Every structure is written in structure tokens, then in C-alpha cells.
Amino acid sequence: MVTLPRIESLSRDQVESARKQSSAISLYLDLLKDPGLPPLYRLRHEAWTQSAICTLLNLESAENICLYWSAKASEILESVWREVGLDRLPIALFAMGKLGADELNLSSDVDLVAVSEPSAIADCEKKIRSFNSVLQSHSRWGYLLRVDYDIRPGGKFGPLITTPSQFEDHYWSQGETWERLALVRLKPLFGSKPITDQIEDLARRFTFRKFLDFTLLEDLKALRAQIHALGHLRESQTINIKLEVGGIRDIELFTHALLVLHAGKITRLQTRSTPEAIRRLIEAGLLPKKDGDDLIEFYWNFRTHENEAQAHQDLQTHQVPQLTSLQTTMTQVDQIVSSLLGSVDLNHVQLPLDEVLQQTWLRGLGFSDQSVTLIWPDLIRATALSYRNDRDERARLEFLYRFVLALSKHSKNAADRGLAILLDFVRSTRAKATFFTMLLRSPSLIDRLAKLFCQSHYLGAILASRPELLDHFLLQLDEPWEKETSALLDQMAARKLISEIWAASQFLEDFKLVPLFSRISESADSIGHQLLVHLKSEFPESSLELMALGKWGGQELGLRSDLDFVFVTQNTPNESDHKVARRFISRLTEPARGGNLYDIDLRLRPTGKSVALIIHTISLEKYWSESARVWERQAYLRSRM
């Protein structure tokens, strides 16, 4: 094990110099003088202070400091593990991230995953919460370690403790590319050996595949683009040593990407250490020696700056002074990483990562406080449900960014209305994340939908509640009519809604009424004709026909117009004609998803002596010539078969 100079072995001048540079060192040195300091806090503060002093006074390499602090952090974890009684239960603890690689920096969170046998979950959960509380609770003595379980299967929404079967099911059915990279650094700390062996085997088989995955490299490129597109809050005169393009995360991403690509076939490449992985990649001829040597040097240079920044106040910061030498190094790293994972376009503006920044952005676009505080939080949290969550989340966030910009082009009230409808739409489509990708391919369609949401609550609500209509709306497809009755009626309802949406959206573009009326009337013609043909196929003896009247007859149907018509026959109506007529009315008016097909109005049929549902054409002509009132004759001027 690596050792660092003990505090008592340092000169007074060295200690005082470190005190002046770091308020945290000064605090912990004073605490270490207190005889009442509990042993675990003494262990933690002494190890951290040693590491911080060696960092600030340049007494040890960053590699040795990170290795030493990782060992001490593991020692603290194991002590608390035993203290709360977890060592007596069938559970194992694993480290990921920097601790998993034994490269923990001074103020990093410790990424952990806990795996237990199913029968012991209840007991383990109580004790793991005590374990976390002991580690993270702040007292007069400070704290021990910050722990983070967010990389566990299921993330923040998954169970705090997973079982081996849940672990396997998650990664093999839902595992993302970024999770394969994260598991490169999975390290068993302590606990049940059968669980440890099983989880290590599962993680190795999930992470390192023996077969060639042609989509993996594209996913890795997209992952890098996503990481930098999400961005971070930049501060004046500083550089984020971890998150900037060409920083620590890029080196880790590049290295782990090469391992995931090749270490399933070349098993000697498998290692948790980033620098060691680079050395093995050089030996295997997968990385030019010059590039590899540079990356190792740059990596530890960055980690030195990172530790220096955190040694001052024991805070998890990655902001360091903006030095020309660092910017030059980052440019070199970017060139190497881009050769595998593609370049990053920082000028490509994206949705702000932080919710507070998102709200500021929305207010700047003109949205009301109500939309920003009540609608947006639900909208941004309606994550895509998908087995490829990383990819679909990228598409969702980019879709939201573009759609919100399109909404902001309209008046404030209209944009607020559009945002509310967008929330309903996203809730409906989140289970089919392909909608987002489909819309992203055509910005003009996003603009059109945004306009629809802003200007027509009725039409926007239809699409929000029936997202399956979207592909019909976008592609304007007219599939062949279904043969089976229930399927045909569903198809007719969808086609009616689509015709209304399309006609109205076009009207919102050009404000021309004639095309609106024409399209909606043509849709009614098609549906009425097909329904009659379908019903008459069940009753071949029927010769029933329809005479359209009113707005339908004049081909001037609007969005919510009812259908005026009469049933007519060339011969005396028979029983089949009456059955077809009754079923026609029933099919049009019976409740269905999204409401009935049409409301109908049969009041324009001749009333004279006969109130029959169906009228013979001879009787109709006689009524016109002998009994019809003037208004009825006027009404029939717009009649058509």
C-alpha cells in the first residue's frame, strides 16, 4: 500500500504554509488536536489532511495521493459497514467511478452499489440507511464521506439495494451504453463472496462482449456529444478541469470506450485503472504510443489541478484557474479523443442542464411564471420510456428545445397554451420515443405542430390525446379500408380527426376557408360512402343510397358540423334497407374513442304524411312538387347523392 508522509514528520514551516493555503487543512489540524475526536473521524481527517498537504506542497504525485486516499476511504467504509452490522448479512458492497479505479480525488462523492440476497432485503435496507447516515451526517467533527448510489441499476428511481437477479435483468434488458462504460470500474469492496463473484461475472459479461457490435461506436460518439451538449455552468477566468472538452471526463470516456470495444476479445485489456488501461492499449497496438503517453501525462496533470482546487475548502469543485497551458493540453486531448469519438460543436446551443437555468431561459423567451413554475417541471421530468434511454433522452431533450423555441414565436398567451398542450402530448408519446426522433427529422413539422398547439386548443388536444395519429398527420397516409367492422370504425374515426387536423393546420397557415371546407367534406364523403358499402355487403338485397343536404350537400362542412342527409331508394324500401339505415345511424353516432364519428340531422326528410326513415325517390319527387314548403325547397337546392 502507498504511504504518504505523516503530519508529524513535516516541518513547522510546511504545516504553516499548508494552513495558510487551505482553510480545510487548518480546520482538520485543529480537530486532530482534540482528544475527544472519535477514531473514525480521526482516521478520515488525518488521511485527508495528509493528502491535501502533499498536494499543495507537491510532496507526492497525484497518482500516489489518489491511491492512498482511495485506500483510506475504503477503510472508512468497511469500518462503518461492520459498525452497523452489515457484515453479518448476505449483502455485498461495490465501488464504481473514481473509487472503483482507486483514483479517488480529495472531495469526490463515493459511488456505491449494494447487492443483497432477496430474502434479506428488508434487514439490509434498514442497516444500509444507517450506514449512509453515519458516513454523511455532519456534526461538530465534520463528516466522513459523501456517498452516491445514483449509478445503481435503475438510477435514482431504482431500489436502493438490488438483488443479483435484478442486477442481471436491468443490465441485460435495459442496459445503456454509458452503463457499460461505468461498469468498467466496478470494484467489489467487501461483503458476501458468492454475491461478489456473481456480480463481477455479470458485469464483465455485460461490459465486455466477444462479438462485434456495429452500433456501439455510434452510441459512443453520441454519448460524447450528449455529455458536452448538456454543458455546465462556466465561471469567469476558470476552467472546469473535469467537464470541459478535452478534460478528465473526455480522457476517461475515450479510454473506457476502447476497452468496451476491444476487451471482450482481448481479455488482458480488462482493468479498472484509467492509466493502466492506456498502457495496455498501447501494448496491444490499439493506441499510438505517443498519444497514449501524452494521455497518461495529461490525465495526472489534470488530477493534480483537481486535487489542488479541492484541497482548499474540501469542496467538490472542478473549477481551476484559466491557464494557457491547460487550454493547450485540452486542445491536444480533444484531438486524440475526436479521432475515435468525433468532434464536439460547442456553438450548438442546447437546452440548459440545470432547472434554474431552464426557467431563466423560458422567461427570457416570454413564457409566463405560471408556465415556468407549474408546467415546465412536469414537462422536463416526463422522461422517455425506452430500453435505449440514453439515446431517446437525447432526442427528447433536443425535441423539447426546438419545440419550445417554435412556441416562443407566438404571442405570450398562445405560447403558454401551446406549452400546456405539449405537456399532454409528451406524456402520451413518452412510451414511444420514436416520435421525438421522427419529428426532429423535419423542423418545419415541429413549427407546424407548435403553431397548431398555440392557435387551436381543440386540435392540439386531439393530437395530445391520440399521439398514434401523428404519423398519419405527418405523412398523410391513406391506407386501404379495413374489412372488419370495429377496425373499420376505428380507422374512420382516425381519418376524420386527421382530415380535421390537417385542414385546420393548413387554414392556420393561409386562412383560406374553401380548402378547409372542401377537405372536411371530402372526408365525410369518403367515410359515409365506405360505411354504406360495408353495411350493404352484409345485406346484398339493399339498394339504399344517401342524399347529402345542408353544409354536407354544399361541400361546406366545418370542424364540428353535423351531417344532414336522407336515406333514399329507387325501389320500395325493404327490410334490408331498413337494417342498413339503422346500422348506418348507429355506427356514426355510437360512442367511440375520442367521441362519436358524427352528429347527424335527419329533420330534412319529408314530413308530410310519412315519417319513414327511408323514402322512395318517387315519393320524394311528389312531395317536392305538391307539399314541400318554400324553405324545404331551398334546403334541397344543395342536395347531392
Side-chain angles (χ1 to χ4, degrees), residues 120-139:
I121 286 287
D123 292 335
C124 290
E125 279 190 348
K126 294 178 184 177
K127 293 188 181 298
I128 204 76
R129 295 187 190 281
S130 298
F131 173 75
N132 296 337
S133 178
V134 172
L135 290 168
Q136 299 191 108
S137 295
H138 286 258
S139 68

Side-chain angles (χ1 to χ4, degrees), residues 208-222:
F208 304 115
R209 314 286 177 84
K210 293 185 178 181
F211 55 85
L212 190 60
D213 185 345
F214 290 99
T215 64
L216 180 57
L217 187 56
E218 291 305 311
D219 283 348
L220 292 168
K221 289 179 179 179

Side-chain angles (χ1 to χ4, degrees), residues 377-390:
D378 289 339
L379 184 56
I380 194 62
R381 292 178 189 134
T383 53
L385 295 180
S386 166
Y387 289 126
R388 300 295 304 276
N389 188 260
D390 55 344

Side-chain angles (χ1 to χ4, degrees), residues 456-515:
S456 175
H457 184 275
Y458 163 68
L459 296 170
I462 289 175
L463 271 181
S465 63
R466 299 282 305 277
E468 71 276 9
L469 299 175
L470 187 63
D471 51 356
H472 297 276
F473 171 61
L474 298 181
L475 302 175
Q476 303 180 65
L477 296 176
D478 284 331
E479 303 101 333
W481 289 109
E482 297 286 348
K483 301 297 183 184
E484 193 270 325
T485 301
S486 61
L488 176 66
L489 293 175
D490 287 343
Q491 186 182 22
M492 288 177 171
R495 192 167 293 187
K496 182 212 173 190
L497 289 175
I498 289 301
S499 68
E500 289 184 344
I501 293 169
W502 188 260
S505 66
Q506 185 62 47
F507 173 73
L508 293 174
E509 295 286 338
D510 56 27
F511 296 102
K512 293 180 179 179
L513 277 171
V514 173

Side-chain angles (χ1 to χ4, degrees), residues 75-349:
E75 188 177 336
I76 293 166
L77 289 169
E78 187 167 13
S79 296
V80 178
W81 185 264
R82 294 180 182 280
E83 180 181 312
V84 300
L86 281 164
D87 60 315
R88 297 187 293 274
L89 293 172
I91 184 173
L93 190 68
F94 299 83
M96 297 180 75
K98 295 290 199 304
L99 181 59
D102 291 320
E103 297 165 9
L104 193 66
N105 48 287
L106 293 183
S107 298
S108 175
D109 288 350
V110 176
D111 295 304
L112 299 174
V113 175
V115 184
S116 164
E117 294 294 351
S119 59
I121 286 287
D123 292 335
C124 290
E125 279 190 348
K126 294 178 184 177
K127 293 188 181 298
I128 204 76
R129 295 187 190 281
S130 298
F131 173 75
N132 296 337
S133 178
V134 172
L135 290 168
Q136 299 191 108
S137 295
H138 286 258
S139 68
R140 56 176 291 209
W141 310 114
Y143 73 100
L144 294 174
L145 294 169
R146 287 184 291 266
V147 295
D148 188 341
Y149 293 84
D150 287 355
I151 309 182
R152 68 185 185 268
K156 295 179 181 179
F157 303 107
L160 181 60
I161 301 174
T162 189
T163 66
S165 61
Q166 289 172 334
F167 187 96
E168 180 176 23
D169 179 67
H170 171 81
Y171 286 115
W172 283 104
S173 64
Q174 304 176 45
E176 306 279 3
T177 298
W178 71 264
E179 290 177 300
R180 289 180 65 180
L181 269 63
L183 288 177
V184 166
R185 297 190 289 187
L186 179 79
K187 175 187 177 182
L189 292 175
F190 29 78
S192 167
K193 190 164 190 314
I195 294 177
T196 296
D197 292 344
Q198 185 178 2
I199 296 302
E200 277 197 292
D201 179 63
L202 288 171
R204 187 182 303 110
R205 287 189 288 112
F206 170 71
T207 302
F208 304 115
R209 314 286 177 84
K210 293 185 178 181
F211 55 85
L212 190 60
D213 185 345
F214 290 99
T215 64
L216 180 57
L217 187 56
E218 291 305 311
D219 283 348
L220 292 168
K221 289 179 179 179
L223 183 59
R224 187 191 188 207
Q226 177 196 15
I227 288 170
H228 291 298
L230 291 175
H232 57 276
L233 190 60
R234 288 176 169 82
E235 299 178 10
S236 178
Q237 303 302 311
T238 65
I239 294 176
N240 190 307
I241 201 75
K242 178 180 180 180
L243 300 179
E244 294 283 359
V245 173
I248 293 171
R249 179 167 284 178
D250 259 356
I251 295 177
E252 293 172 337
L253 180 64
F254 174 80
T255 305
H256 298 152
L258 284 172
L259 292 187
V260 169
L261 284 167
H262 299 289
K265 299 180 288 292
I266 309 173
T267 56
R268 67 179 184 276
L269 294 176
Q270 296 177 17
T271 177
R272 293 185 289 268
S273 165
T274 303
E276 178 59 26
I278 294 173
R279 282 189 280 269
R280 295 186 187 186
L281 288 165
I282 294 171
E283 292 172 1
L286 296 170
L287 183 61
K289 188 174 188 308
K290 174 67 167 60
D291 288 350
D293 290 343
D294 284 346
L295 286 177
I296 294 172
E297 179 187 344
F298 298 156
Y299 182 72
W300 288 121
N301 182 28
F302 289 159
R303 300 304 304 281
T304 298
H305 285 285
E306 182 182 40
N307 278 340
E308 286 173 351
Q310 296 179 357
H312 292 290
Q313 295 180 306
D314 193 8
L315 296 176
Q316 190 181 21
T317 179
H318 306 285
Q319 300 292 144
V320 303
Q322 189 172 2
L323 304 175
T324 302
S325 59
L326 280 178
Q327 292 177 316
T328 301
T329 299
M330 286 180 165
T331 300
Q332 292 177 267
V333 171
D334 180 35
Q335 290 173 348
I336 297 172
V337 175
S338 296
S339 66
L340 176 70
L341 301 178
S343 59
V344 174
D345 181 8
L346 289 179
N347 294 318
H348 181 54
V349 181

